[in-house]
Amino acid sequence: MRVLLIGGASGIGRAVAAEIVDGGGEVILAGRRPDVLNDAAAAMGPRATSVIVDLTDEESIAAAAAEVGSVDHVVSLAADHANGSVADLDVADIRKAFDTKVIGPIVLAKHFASSIAEGGSLLFFSGVAAWKPAPGLSVMATTNGAVAFLVEALAVELAPIRVNAVSPGIVDSGAWDSMGAGKDSFFAETARANPAGRVGRPDDVVAAVLFALTNTFVTGTTVHVDGGGRFV
């Protein structure tokens, strides 16, 4: 398995990359910071390399497609958040959020579809905010929701290439560490409310990613990994 991972140098993306490498696959870590990418690839060993991809820049995507060549799967975990009250949002931040989460994946499909091997797929990340909107998260909810509709449309247009999404809920991936002491109470309340009775772990999301990549009868689907949190 040869996988291009945009956003695979840290967090959940790095956990996905490590699982693929440990299973004998090859990963190409992609993003905008060569130093971070190179360090992450070096730590994973000879089956990990890196390439620069800026989802807001079509030339960058086209150049990466030419450099990388044939792949089995393209996975994008990238996001640029524009959170806050609608009254206070900056239009440039809103556009960047859409460029990264929605337009970027469309351009990835444009340039990489011809490079995806038989049985391969595109996989994009959505998120629980699309199904459980909250004040201050209007842009996040909209971009994540757009991803869910995008994979349905692309699955039809690009068939037999498969196109899917993974939608994580609240996951203890390090992204919430900035909350400091408030993280524990937030996680405890989330666990009480979730039908699954806990918050997510990175390995929950990794398992969903591998399922979406390897099950060749799944396409146009959003895999929810949120413990049922979108219902409560």
Side-chain angles (χ1 to χ4, degrees):
M1 184 189 299
R2 189 168 192 254
V3 183
L4 176 73
L5 275 168
I6 299 108
S10 61
I12 290 173
R14 186 158 180 163
V16 171
E19 187 72 16
I20 292 169
V21 167
D22 289 347
E26 177 186 350
V27 295
I28 306 102
L29 305 179
R32 293 179 291 200
R33 296 182 56 188
D35 53 337
V36 173
L37 295 170
N38 292 338
D39 288 348
M44 292 182 195
R47 288 197 297 273
T49 56
S50 64
V51 66
I52 298 300
V53 171
D54 181 347
L55 291 182
T56 68
D57 178 6
E58 183 174 6
E59 289 185 6
S60 160
I61 295 171
E67 179 179 344
V68 169
S70 178
V71 293
D72 296 298
H73 307 282
V74 174
V75 180
S76 178
L77 302 93
D80 272 304
H81 301 304
N83 296 338
S85 166
V86 169
D88 298 325
L89 290 175
D90 186 286
V91 172
D93 291 338
I94 298 171
R95 289 183 174 135
K96 190 174 182 183
F98 275 86
D99 281 344
T100 303
K101 196 81 172 183
V102 183
I103 297 173
I106 294 172
V107 180
L108 281 172
K110 173 182 177 180
H111 289 285
F112 276 93
S114 61
S115 301
I116 294 178
E118 183 178 354
S121 71
L122 294 157
L123 180 66
F124 306 128
F125 266 56
S126 178
V128 71
W131 289 267
K132 192 176 181 180
L137 300 180
S138 292
V139 176
M140 181 185 288
T142 305
T143 55
N144 284 337
V147 171
F149 284 105
L150 175 62
V151 299
E152 295 179 3
L154 288 179
V156 173
E157 180 167 347
L158 300 181
I161 295 170
R162 295 180 300 109
V163 188
N164 292 298
V166 167
S167 177
I170 306 302
V171 178
D172 190 5
S173 62
W176 302 94
D177 291 353
S178 61
M179 295 182 69
K183 172 184 166 181
D184 289 344
S185 59
F186 172 64
F187 275 15
E189 179 58 33
T190 299
R192 281 193 294 270
N194 264 7
R198 64 176 175 86
V199 299
R201 299 183 294 263
D203 60 293
D204 296 319
V205 184
V206 171
V209 169
L210 294 179
F211 164 76
L213 296 186
T214 58
N215 190 317
T216 58
F217 204 54
V218 175
T219 191
T221 295
T222 297
V223 181
H224 294 277
V225 193
D226 58 16
R230 67 192 183 281
F231 301 128
V232 294

